[in-house]
Amino acid sequence: MASSSSVNNSSSSMSSSLAPKILLAKPNLTTSTDPSLSSSSLRSRLPSTGSLNLLSDSWDLHTDRLLPFLTDNTDFTVIGVIGPSGVGKSTILNEIYGFDGSSSGMLPPFVTQTEEIRAMAKHCSVGIELRVSSERLILLDTQPIFSPSVLAELMRPDGSSTINLINGETLSAELAHEMMGIQLGVFLASICHVLLVVSEGVHDINMWHLMLTVDLLKHGIPDPSSLMPSYSQTPNMGSEKESKDISQEAVIEYLAAPVFVHTKLWDEDLSPDKATWMRKRLSHYFSSSSFKGTKSETTAEERNDYGESPVINADNLSSTGMNLVLLPHSNQDDSETAQYESYATLIEKLRDQVLSMNCRPFAKTVSEREWLKNSARIWETIKSSAVIAEYCKTLQGSGMFRK
């Protein structure tokens, strides 16, 4: 597909000779240059679906269980999602994933929130869950931001957090909950090609504020392809040494292209005037941020394809410099008075638009497995970041959070 080839433009000629563009085989049948990853060994090492968490509820990154699902292919796209509970994150990723039940090589789709889960005030996703499509799209679904259920699971009886996020320091559960969202945002912005930032309605800008904080704190985090392979073999060991090594290197920074998605909108929120107002508002909000320069470019043909739809097209106002998508409420599809395209139609267009984005490539050609190993090192760097730790201390001293 166009999405995979567009991400690594600078290395497309090299990629074509080293790896297939589309790999449709089951993960345990994928060829590898590593003798230890033969078909027979992969069959015995394939993890169960329930353990496919890149980031666990203990806030530790696990790579070994996921390596069998990745290959030495260098032509891939990483798409992550972040947002509150119930806004449709998993649903959007499942649309991009394109799960085919007849294919025995595909993992099940991401679990979506049911009425029962919503009634119990629970959340579906824990940490970061990973899926890989046949088109070599690496999809990262994340636990919700600003979630009372996540906070409840974090809190001890004395109000402290069960997880030590910043250099092993014990924080209050409320502060740890705030920092988890920030660390998650910094991580996804550091390792993804495309980052879907999902909010509900047109007036909720909490995710906008979070991404500004991510931009503020994402300094000294290296490009996921610029790390030396020798440092990415044992991601859960030597984090202090690795952080020192990174600080001594000439750090090449990287930033994912954000797509701001607002869901569950009604007809009055989808008018051309409201869409124009939203894009101008978004552009003004991020006018001085690093994200301003990450907007993808589209061709004139693509602009014509979507030019008549002010809802889905993120590029018909090129002066805004940001990617914005407005999606209607799915219940509106059954309304006889709906004036605009249906949710089903627009979410398909969203998939096409995301996959056709000409995103910023990583600094160097890197394989899927190398990306995963280097992502583990980046996660350790984020957890020990002096910039993030200082911001945490500032919040702690603000009086906004319990001691």
Side-chain angles (χ1 to χ4, degrees), residues 81-155:
V81 66
I82 188 170
S85 179
V87 296
K89 302 185 301 297
S90 301
T91 300
I92 292 172
L93 278 193
N94 282 338
E95 180 67 27
I96 296 174
Y97 183 36
F99 174 72
D100 180 4
S102 64
S103 173
S104 58
M106 293 190 76
L107 293 167
F110 295 108
V111 177
T112 57
Q113 192 177 58
T114 63
E115 290 297 332
E116 181 180 2
I117 293 175
R118 188 178 294 108
M120 295 173 62
K122 297 292 185 179
H123 56 279
C124 298
S125 302
V126 176
I128 300 177
E129 297 182 23
L130 181 145
R131 297 289 188 273
V132 186
S133 77
S134 59
E135 300 142 326
R136 308 320 293 173
L137 303 174
I138 300 176
L139 305 170
L140 304 177
D141 194 11
T142 61
Q143 70 180 38
I145 306 296
F146 315 129
S147 170
S149 59
V150 173
L151 176 59
E153 293 179 357
L154 275 178
M155 189 175 294

Side-chain angles (χ1 to χ4, degrees), residues 196-266:
L196 303 173
V197 183
V198 188
S199 304
E200 181 177 336
V202 294
H203 300 294
D204 183 5
I205 61 171
N206 288 325
M207 291 305 302
W208 295 13
H209 180 71
L210 175 67
M211 295 312 294
L212 280 184
T213 305
V214 166
D215 180 45
L216 176 69
L217 302 180
K218 191 192 170 310
H219 294 288
I221 309 299
D223 183 293
S225 68
S226 64
L227 305 179
M228 297 299 291
S230 59
Y231 294 126
S232 55
Q233 303 303 314
T234 54
N236 296 322
M237 300 176 59
S239 59
E240 183 177 349
K241 178 181 182 301
E242 289 181 355
S243 300
K244 184 180 297 184
D245 291 334
I246 288 178
S247 65
Q248 294 174 350
E249 295 173 2
V251 176
I252 302 175
E253 294 188 358
Y254 173 84
L255 193 62
V259 177
F260 293 88
V261 183
H262 284 253
T263 64
K264 301 186 178 181
L265 307 184
W266 299 100

